[in-house]
Amino acid sequence: MKIATYNINGINGRIENLKRWLAQANPDVVCLQELKCEDKRFPEQALLDAGYHAIWHGQKSWNGVALLSRYGEIQETRRGLDGDPDDTHSRYIEGFINGIVIGCLYLPNGNPFPGPKFDYKLKWIRRLTAHAKKLQGFDLPVALIGDFNIMPTDQDTYKPVKYKDNALFRPEARKLWLELLKLGWTDAIRKLYPDDRIYTFWDYLRNAYDRDAGLRPDHFLLNGNLQSRLKSGGVDKDVRGWDHSSDHAPAWIVID
């Protein structure tokens, strides 16, 4: 079973790129982030034509998450997180697919630091952690997947000193990431590549992609029931180089 994550950065504007990648990579399940479209504008039919059922949680111009599956209709189990009734952002959707609970998330960016956006980011991570703790109580394989907007270690950025005051690399966010992992979650890509610099994002500015000046904010967290089934994983870096590409590349894992 091949599971992928892809911050598409505007699904309708990049639908042809998405369909091209789906046909090339053949993932079984895909977590999409940053849809930037209202629910009624989600390209459901185009994805059905490509062989994927979907559930989605959209928002006009911003945010948005979706789950795609080649296994048929998805049983949705949750959209949004508890803990803040005033939060209207579309950042979390969860479904039951082929025996696995999969939460697709788009964690807040948090920049500029310091400020209210960073405070919101930290609060959102704490809400995610509370939900992740509940998920650990399930006697089921569970994965939390998506754009976490966190670079956990120096390995996850090409130039750590440049990002010392960036919300994705601030020690406050990284500390909360570690607290999340201590609940029993495994960072799948880091488990597979403990010593390598793996990137999933290259800025549009300063020729970052060609210089391989990348970051790793996109992650797969697997619970104990699932991490033992992890076989392989990687990043489809070439997709970032396509015309009209997202600034992220798709990442993927394979489980048995």
Side-chain angles (χ1 to χ4, degrees), residues 81 107-108 118-132 148-150 167 172-180:
L81 295 174
L107 200 145
F118 186 68
D119 296 340
Y120 169 63
K121 178 192 187 95
L122 298 184
K123 183 176 181 180
W124 205 94
I125 299 171
R126 293 186 181 100
R127 291 165 58 202
L128 175 65
T129 301
H131 182 59
F148 283 73
N149 268 318
I150 297 174
E172 299 90 338
R174 294 163 69 184
K175 180 182 178 183
L176 291 177
W177 166 268
L178 290 176
E179 290 178 6
L180 177 59

Side-chain angles (χ1 to χ4, degrees), residues 10-201:
I11 191 169
N12 286 312
R14 305 188 203 279
I15 188 64
E16 294 305 318
N17 277 17
L18 177 59
K19 291 193 297 182
R20 175 185 173 188
W21 169 70
L22 290 171
Q24 174 180 294
N26 291 312
D28 298 301
V29 175
V30 182
C31 298
L32 295 175
Q33 305 88 41
E34 211 169 349
L35 305 178
K36 295 183 176 178
C37 76
E38 297 174 283
D39 283 342
K40 64 184 180 182
R41 295 188 60 244
F42 184 83
E44 180 180 19
Q45 190 58 54
L47 292 169
L48 282 171
D49 292 344
Y52 291 86
H53 289 262
I55 58 174
W56 61 92
H57 185 21
Q59 182 178 342
K60 184 178 181 179
S61 301
W62 304 101
N63 306 319
V65 285
L67 280 168
L68 315 183
S69 171
R70 295 204 298 186
Y71 294 109
E73 292 188 5
I74 302 168
Q75 180 184 341
E76 183 176 322
T77 55
R78 167 177 284 270
R79 57 177 55 205
L81 295 174
D82 296 335
D84 186 353
D86 297 324
D87 185 2
T88 59
H89 289 194
S90 300
R91 295 186 176 276
Y92 187 86
I93 194 165
E94 185 181 288
F96 190 62
I97 304 174
N98 197 34
I100 300 174
V101 178
I102 298 177
C104 171
L105 63 99
Y106 178 44
L107 200 145
N109 178 286
N111 283 305
F113 167 85
K117 290 185 177 180
F118 186 68
D119 296 340
Y120 169 63
K121 178 192 187 95
L122 298 184
K123 183 176 181 180
W124 205 94
I125 299 171
R126 293 186 181 100
R127 291 165 58 202
L128 175 65
T129 301
H131 182 59
K133 187 173 183 179
K134 293 178 182 178
L135 291 174
Q136 286 287 13
F138 294 0
D139 188 23
L140 289 168
V142 185
L144 292 171
I145 300 170
D147 182 354
F148 283 73
N149 268 318
I150 297 174
M151 300 179 292
T153 71
D154 286 2
Q155 285 177 280
D156 302 309
T157 167
Y158 77 101
K159 187 181 289 186
V161 67
K162 178 180 178 180
Y163 290 92
K164 62 185 180 64
D165 287 326
N166 188 291
L168 280 70
F169 199 53
R170 284 294 306 171
E172 299 90 338
R174 294 163 69 184
K175 180 182 178 183
L176 291 177
W177 166 268
L178 290 176
E179 290 178 6
L180 177 59
L181 263 59
K182 287 177 182 177
L183 295 176
W185 299 93
T186 295
D187 177 349
I189 294 296
R190 186 53 64 213
K191 178 179 174 64
L192 292 166
Y193 303 97
D195 301 316
D196 295 344
R197 290 186 179 273
I198 305 293
Y199 302 140
T200 61
F201 170 94

